[in-house]
Amino acid sequence: MSLPFLPADPMPPILLIQIAVAAVWLYEGLWCKVLGRSAHELEVVEAAPIFTKRQAWWFLKALGAYETLLAVWVLSGWQPVLCALVQTVTLIGLNSGGILFSRHVIPDPPGMVIKNTAFLVLAWVAAGFLAA
């Protein structure tokens, strides 16, 4: 059954999905970490016993640069399946490290995992369409 107010193909353009995924990486990487607009990000990294305060600061800046590059990669459309895989491994690593070392400063660890899982679904949808 077709509804007159819905488009024939309800799937948004792939570029819109890429922009949405890249915007998350750009916000998290450049805004929150590189530019330091989220003090909580540093607090989470500093809570990990593997870093001194200085190392945590440098790690956060490097992580932010890496996440910013992920945004560029997502927008490029190059090797989309590998890109989605790298995003998945990155978020599994970050979520695992956060829960393992910094759970006490993360307000809602289960919520973080659920949101990141939904985000990765979007990343894999983009990869699937670009790879087809």
Side-chain angles (χ1 to χ4, degrees), residues 29-41:
L30 183 63
W31 184 257
C32 292
K33 295 176 181 80
V34 173
L35 298 177
R37 298 299 188 156
S38 175
H40 184 255
E41 299 278 342

Side-chain angles (χ1 to χ4, degrees), residues 4 7 13-14 16 18 20 22 31 33 45 51-52 63 84 86 91-92 98 103-104 111-114 117-118 125:
I14 189 62
L16 184 60
Q18 287 174 272
W31 184 257
K33 295 176 181 80
V45 177
F51 296 119
T52 65
L63 178 58
V86 168
L91 282 177
I92 289 171
R103 182 180 187 87
H104 61 285
M112 172 187 72
V113 172
I114 290 167
T117 301
V125 166

Side-chain angles (χ1 to χ4, degrees), residues 11-12 14-15 17-18 21 74 77-85 87-88 119-132:
M11 186 68 186
I14 189 62
L15 181 60
I17 296 171
Q18 287 174 272
V21 171
V74 168
W78 181 75
Q79 295 289 324
V81 173
L82 179 60
C83 183
L85 181 61
Q87 291 174 80
T88 301
F119 171 68
L120 285 174
V121 168
L122 195 58
W124 279 101
V125 166
F129 274 94
L130 287 168

